[in-house]
Amino acid sequence: SKHNESVFTRLLQTYIQPKKYGFEKRRAHLSSMIVSGLITREEALKILEEPAESKEQIEQDIAVVIKKMQISREEFDKIINSKEIVDHLQFKNNRKKEELFQKIKKIIK
């Protein structure tokens, strides 16, 4: 596991991304290891056959995350099982400021 020191990151990479988005982060990590010659493709495929995390650990992590987010397990499950994907730009961000900065930077150059 990589970056599993954070409960949220561990849950995101081992449960949320694969379940909600069909994205298995381990594939990229293992691919790097194959290219580096640390493991073979067959070894990587064998690793991917195993769950990224135990069910017990995932349940513990979900409990921590829903407590921090102050939502119920039902709300969490609804979010995870929803097919709706919200674009990150719909949330408060600094995009307009960044675009203005880039324009000013171009003018100055």
Side-chain angles (χ1 to χ4, degrees), residues 24 26-27 30 43-51:
E24 176 70 62
R26 294 185 302 164
R27 293 177 71 85
L30 292 169
E43 290 170 319
L45 291 172
K46 191 169 187 113
I47 291 169
L48 288 172
E49 288 176 5
E50 298 297 320

Side-chain angles (χ1 to χ4, degrees), residues 3-36:
H3 300 297
N4 278 0
E5 61 276 2
S6 162
V7 171
F8 185 77
T9 302
R10 179 174 52 231
L11 184 65
L12 179 70
Q13 291 183 0
T14 62
Y15 180 74
I16 297 173
Q17 287 177 332
K19 183 160 177 69
K20 184 161 179 76
Y21 304 107
F23 177 72
E24 176 70 62
K25 187 134 178 124
R26 294 185 302 164
R27 293 177 71 85
H29 296 164
L30 292 169
S31 180
S32 295
M33 293 174 73
I34 294 167
V35 171
S36 300

Side-chain angles (χ1 to χ4, degrees), residues 11 15 58-67 73 76:
L11 184 65
Y15 180 74
I58 288 172
E59 288 303 320
Q60 286 178 343
D61 291 350
I62 289 172
V64 169
V65 168
I66 65 176
K67 183 176 179 184
R73 176 59 190 256
F76 177 82

Side-chain angles (χ1 to χ4, degrees), residues 2 4-5 12 19 21 34 44 74-75 77 82 89 91 95 100 102-103:
K2 190 171 183 179
N4 278 0
E5 61 276 2
L12 179 70
K19 183 160 177 69
Y21 304 107
I34 294 167
E74 291 75 23
E75 289 174 286
D77 290 339
S82 168
L89 295 175
F91 298 96
R95 184 161 190 194
L100 177 61
Q102 292 301 323
K103 286 179 185 177

